[in-house]
Amino acid sequence: MKKLIISLLTISATFTACTDLDINRDPDLLDPNKAPLSAQLPAGISGLAGGEGASLAIIGGMWSQYWTQSNAANQYKDIDNYSIGTSDYNFAWDAMYDALGDIRNVRRRAANEGNWKYYLIATTMEAQASQILTDYYGSIPYKEANNKEILAPAFNTGEEVYTYMIEDLNDALSKDLSQSVGEIPGADDFIFGGNMTNWTKFANTMKLKIYMRQTNSSRAAIANAGITQMLADGVQFLDVDAAMTQFADAINQSNPLFEYNNRRLNVATNLRMSRTMFTQLDDNADARRSKYYLAGNALAQGDYANPVGAGTIAVVDLHATTPVLFMSKEESLFLQAEAMERYNAGVGAQAAYNAAVTANFARYSLSAATLLAGAYAYPAAGTFDQKLEAIITQKWIASFPGNGFEGFFEHNRTGYPTSFTYAVNGTTAGQFPRRIVYPLSERNANPNAPTLQPITSPVWWD
């Protein structure tokens, strides 16, 4: 894992084309106060891709029951049986905050220089990464994080982090991009190539997501007011992928989930098809089954001690050049569908849902038409809960493979899909995991680290 993250962080400060991935210079060795913003931004983006796209994606996919630990290997048993402890996956936390150091330095300098384009980019990415961290861990360092003057940053509560993310996004969105001075983002922007219209849409959609996550919490009124205002204002939401695509089928240059699990650093057959996802796809003759997994049968979640021949269990089909999706077009559309059902009397919800399902099938060169007219038809005449179940279930399927943590978070928020099964070898007395515990690296280094909560303890919005 460490080798992977370092390789993704060592991006050259110069680019001949947006698709180049030159790993010969480490931006961490550059003076953060003098290095061009165009040298620090790609380091931050690629670092977040590595942090989110490797260990955190493995955990998310396991707890979303996309895959289960192979019965012929041992790598991920602690995830599959819910026994992750403080000594496990420390580098995922460290890598995320290392990357956020680059992102936050870009944001700080851009604010001082009046470079509102880089300011919007950095603020949006800070919110995107912080949302994942706080939804996984609960309280996290936010206000004091990545400040070289503060060696032991305070932890902000999840509620505080959510408030700060909205405030920061509103501030960045309020800037007049036409008055931005200094460098202009281009090839160094690994996500949109400097397209600021897309960055504005991404920031808006992150706000929608942050509000939506609070709908079943004690702050439902805040979510209601925020989303209602966005819909009334007619803000534009993301209609393309917010993705890093600059991967190649070469060592240290592949998609991080592929690199970490497949072919390079671990046994390529560790991750096997979970019966939970298999049943969903098989029962509905969903053609995405053949795109998600190779040939073979399914294994019950956590059933890694099953003596059935390993060769009979389908392996997860991962690819070296698959993009890292910070937010997919589908996720944006599903968020909009739920928002319209909750706060717009359902107007537009079915169209957004259909577009989201269609987009995910199209990602694999498949058609959703038959299923949208049948098993996946939107329950327009049904109850709100039936509509929410349809939206969240399809969002869960569409988040495969690298965004399983969103399926995990949404299951915690809504209870959908209802088909999750407790791991056969689970260690938590029938309770599903709700969080990751803080890593030992942070607990040893920071006296402000909160008291450990068990992984079955819900985060604040759950």
Side-chain angles (χ1 to χ4, degrees), residues 65-238:
Q65 305 197 5
Y66 294 165
W67 47 67
T68 187
Q69 168 62 55
S70 170
N71 59 339
N74 300 298
Q75 183 75 18
Y76 305 123
K77 284 184 177 180
D78 57 343
I79 305 174
D80 213 3
N81 66 18
Y82 315 141
S83 64
I84 291 179
T86 58
S87 60
D88 303 312
Y89 305 101
N90 283 235
F91 204 76
W93 172 279
D94 296 342
M96 289 290 283
Y97 274 102
D98 182 77
L100 277 169
D102 292 308
I103 294 294
R104 286 176 169 138
N105 193 57
V106 170
R107 181 169 180 250
R108 175 185 62 81
R109 286 186 51 197
N112 291 339
E113 297 168 13
N115 193 322
W116 304 129
K117 293 182 178 180
Y118 275 97
Y119 185 69
L120 176 60
I121 292 172
T123 302
T124 305
M125 291 309 298
E126 180 179 10
Q128 190 275 338
S130 298
Q131 172 255 307
I132 293 172
L133 284 169
T134 192
D135 287 353
Y136 255 139
Y137 291 96
S139 299
I140 61 169
Y142 188 89
K143 277 296 186 180
E144 295 183 355
N146 301 109
N147 184 334
K148 66 180 181 179
E149 304 298 329
I150 302 175
L151 299 181
F155 278 64
N156 295 110
T157 66
E159 295 96 320
E160 290 173 338
V161 174
Y162 265 60
T163 296
Y164 295 147
M165 289 190 295
I166 292 293
E167 289 176 351
D168 290 346
L169 287 167
N170 282 339
D171 183 59
L173 286 165
S174 73
K175 305 302 183 185
D176 185 349
L177 297 182
S178 69
Q179 299 300 309
S180 181
V181 299
E183 291 182 77
I184 299 174
D188 58 304
D189 170 9
F190 281 171
I191 299 177
F192 295 127
N195 184 320
M196 299 312 298
T197 298
N198 284 340
W199 277 108
T200 298
K201 293 178 181 179
F202 189 12
N204 285 333
T205 315
M206 279 304 308
K207 282 183 58 181
L208 178 61
K209 182 177 184 177
I210 291 164
Y211 281 132
M212 193 67 71
R213 193 66 34 94
Q214 303 177 76
T215 51
N216 292 341
S217 76
S218 59
R219 290 158 53 110
I222 294 175
N224 186 327
I227 297 173
T228 300
Q229 189 64 55
M230 294 182 80
L231 294 178
D233 290 344
V235 303
Q236 292 188 310
F237 298 111
L238 200 62

Side-chain angles (χ1 to χ4, degrees), residues 431-453:
Q431 297 185 64
F432 286 105
R434 300 284 185 172
R435 66 168 69 221
I436 304 175
V437 296
Y438 297 113
L440 193 61
S441 59
E442 184 68 15
R443 288 180 56 78
N444 286 343
N446 190 347
N448 292 319
T451 301
L452 284 181
Q453 299 289 323

Side-chain angles (χ1 to χ4, degrees), residues 296-430:
N297 300 316
L299 190 65
Q301 195 68 40
D303 197 16
Y304 50 75
N306 194 315
V308 65
T312 67
I313 308 300
V315 174
V316 175
D317 191 12
L318 300 175
H319 299 275
T321 57
T322 298
V324 167
L325 296 170
F326 294 105
M327 180 178 285
S328 68
K329 174 183 178 180
E330 298 96 300
E331 183 181 0
S332 173
L333 286 164
F334 284 125
L335 284 167
Q336 292 172 63
E338 183 177 349
M340 291 165 181
E341 279 298 348
R342 287 184 181 274
Y343 306 112
N344 199 41
V347 176
Q350 182 172 356
Y353 168 89
N354 287 345
V357 176
T358 298
N360 190 250
F361 273 77
R363 190 177 295 280
Y364 301 98
S365 300
L366 299 171
S367 171
T370 299
L371 282 171
L372 282 175
Y376 294 164
Y378 192 69
T383 65
F384 170 78
D385 283 341
Q386 289 172 327
K387 295 170 183 176
L388 181 64
E389 181 175 13
I391 292 167
I392 300 301
T393 299
Q394 288 302 316
K395 184 191 288 188
W396 167 64
I397 300 172
S399 295
F400 184 97
N403 294 70
F405 40 75
E406 287 302 325
F408 168 65
F409 299 147
E410 291 291 62
H411 182 259
N412 287 344
R413 177 175 72 96
T414 68
Y416 296 124
T418 60
S419 56
F420 280 24
T421 60
Y422 186 74
V424 172
N425 288 289
T427 60
T428 53

